[in-house]
């Protein structure tokens, strides 16, 4: 389930880090175990990705349970992270070589530069 704002969440809004469900059991990850709240199933993780993946489901659920909005993102493997790190390093090296006046860059700067390979 979704996390609240900041560490510990916002108790006034009913958010708490305790509401985050973490599935770390390998057999549950492979099977797409029930999410524990009765709101569907988790996506199964491929065996080849057990050592490096990021499968996340975020849910916003009405207090009475009558409405649920859910979105997911699934990353299989670590290659995309390694390639992104290399692209960011090359981007920063180029900025240093150009003696760019700006010294703090974000991933948005990298994406807008078109420097991703």
């Amino acid at each position: 389930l979704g996390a609240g704002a900041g560490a510990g969440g916002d108790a006034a809004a009913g958010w708490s880090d305790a509401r985050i469900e973490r599935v770390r059991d390998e057999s549950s990850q492979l099977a797409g175990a029930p999410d524990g709240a009765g709101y569907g199933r988790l996506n199964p993780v491929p065996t080849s990705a057990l050592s490096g993946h990021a499968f996340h489901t975020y849910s916003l659920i009405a207090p009475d349970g009558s409405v649920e909005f859910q979105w997911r993102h699934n990353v299989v493997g670590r290659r995309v992270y390694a390639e992104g790190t290399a692209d960011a390093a090359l981007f920063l090296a180029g900025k240093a070589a150009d003696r760019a006046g700006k010294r703090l860059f974000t991933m948005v700067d990298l994406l807008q530069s078109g420097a991703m390979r």
Side-chain angles (χ1 to χ4, degrees):
L1 298 178
D10 180 351
W15 292 103
S16 168
D17 288 350
R19 294 183 63 195
I20 299 172
E21 182 177 353
R22 295 165 180 91
V23 177
R24 299 291 186 239
D25 174 65
E26 187 175 290
S27 61
S28 295
Q29 290 177 354
L30 289 169
D35 68 5
Y39 300 111
R41 298 184 62 81
L42 302 174
N43 289 351
V45 175
T47 303
S48 62
L50 279 176
S51 66
H53 67 277
F55 278 36
H56 299 114
T57 302
Y58 305 90
S59 298
L60 299 175
I61 303 167
D64 67 359
S66 64
V67 179
E68 178 183 11
F69 177 74
Q70 189 177 86
W71 66 101
R72 300 174 187 212
H73 69 87
N74 299 334
V75 178
V76 176
R78 296 183 177 164
R79 181 177 178 163
V80 69
Y81 297 117
E83 290 173 350
T85 300
D87 288 339
L90 291 171
F91 171 78
L92 291 174
K95 293 298 180 185
D98 293 343
R99 300 197 182 275
K102 185 175 178 180
R103 299 185 54 88
L104 179 65
F105 299 94
T106 67
M107 287 305 294
V108 172
D109 295 320
L110 171 61
L111 294 170
Q112 288 178 337
S113 75
M116 299 291 290
R117 293 179 289 132

